[in-house]
Amino acid sequence: MPSVSRLTLAGLAVAGAMLLGTSGCGDLDEASAAPLTRENLVSETADQLAAGAGLTYTAKYQVAGGETATVSRAQKPARAAYVYPGGRLITTTTVTIRCAGRSCTSVAADPAAAAALDEAPLISPEAVQAMLASAALDPAVETEQHDTTITGRHATCLKVLGGTARAFDVCVTNEGVLASFTATIDGERIDQALTSYSETVPPNAFLVPTGASLVDKSAK
């Protein structure tokens, strides 16, 4: 089975969002009466996850190795922060900031940045959407769906397997927040599960950590 790289996920992110975003067209009565197909299940999960991009929240995860990672989102303007062991990614409408340890670099806004959290034991909702886009294009993919409860929140889960797409398991809360994810990407095991969720974000969520150095390349 071919490997799915994080760069591939970044490339699929924008195209995948456009592709899966068209899944709701057609006769609603017929759609509600017909059994859910593979395409329906993949598109439904992708749409549910995409809804989370419009929320304000802080989600904490346990990742592989028992360590902790955090995803924060806020609106007006839209911005997000991904904090994981050894690094941090902050995305806004104007800049993208990457930190490794205490060293940070700011560049012009990169819409695909969150789909490729390089060497991080954390996967972003954008990267999962890219994987769902790949699965939607593969007629040999098989899917299994079930419901669960994670940290007291109802979540819908989808297992994707078979075909040439990468096998993975994903759960998404009713609100559209990534609740859990399991897969192997670039030989690295990604295994994360939501441990807490808040509809607020700390005031320093989108700031460079205190004491970190920042190299600004956003104007170059």
Side-chain angles (χ1 to χ4, degrees), residues 5-39:
S5 70
R6 292 180 186 263
L7 290 177
T8 300
L9 295 180
L12 282 170
V14 176
M18 294 175 63
L19 172 67
L20 293 172
T22 63
S23 61
C25 301
D27 190 292
L28 295 179
D29 291 335
E30 290 183 9
S32 61
L36 289 175
T37 64
R38 172 189 64 83
E39 293 88 351

Side-chain angles (χ1 to χ4, degrees), residues 8 21 23 27 33 41 44 46 52 92 105 107 146 153 172 185 193:
T8 300
S23 61
D27 190 292
L41 290 172
E44 182 181 83
T92 74
T105 302
V107 299
H146 70 276
R153 313 190 82 83
V172 184
I185 302 175

